[in-house]
Amino acid sequence: IEYVDAGTPITNTHYIGAPKGEIYGVDHGIARFSPELNATIRPQTPLKNLYLTGQDVFLCGFAGGLAGALTCGSVILNRNLHLDSFILAMKTKYINKKLKDE
């Protein structure tokens, strides 16, 4: 038995209620990246303990979702998780090189 599933913008409209077939939440058109709008989009909201995360805070796609999660986590933990992840990657690279050289 073989099963194949496919989707189109019409499928998205039906299942996620997206009138134009988009799946990325906030519109990611050129206006989305204006300096004025970027200056106002933040993970923290005026409502206590309500935060925004994912691609609506950063960019669309997997990488944007991951960066949005790091940005939101940074606000909640009051530390720069982007920098923490960079430092961790550098330490890991250094340790792996050191182990390889031994």
Side-chain angles (χ1 to χ4, degrees):
I1 296 175
E2 217 175 286
Y3 175 80
V4 176
D5 189 14
T8 67
I10 294 170
T11 309
N12 290 342
T13 299
H14 175 76
Y15 286 109
I16 65 174
K20 295 180 183 176
E22 71 276 2
I23 59 173
Y24 289 123
V26 173
D27 180 27
H28 280 79
I30 194 74
R32 163 72 170 83
F33 300 102
S34 71
E36 295 81 16
L37 187 59
N38 278 320
T40 61
I41 295 180
R42 298 284 181 256
Q44 195 164 11
T45 68
L47 301 173
K48 184 179 178 184
N49 296 325
L50 178 65
Y51 298 91
L52 304 176
T53 189
Q55 54 194 7
D56 287 343
V57 173
F58 213 73
L59 299 172
C60 61
F62 177 79
L66 180 58
L70 286 172
T71 302
C72 182
S74 295
V75 170
I76 293 169
L77 298 173
N78 197 28
R79 62 183 296 150
N80 188 335
L81 295 180
H82 293 275
L83 184 58
D84 288 353
S85 62
F86 176 76
I87 291 170
L88 179 61
M90 296 305 293
K91 285 180 182 178
T92 303
K93 185 176 179 180
Y94 172 78
I95 291 169
N96 286 339
K97 184 180 181 321
K98 193 172 180 179
L99 290 172
K100 186 178 177 183
D101 290 343
E102 288 181 355

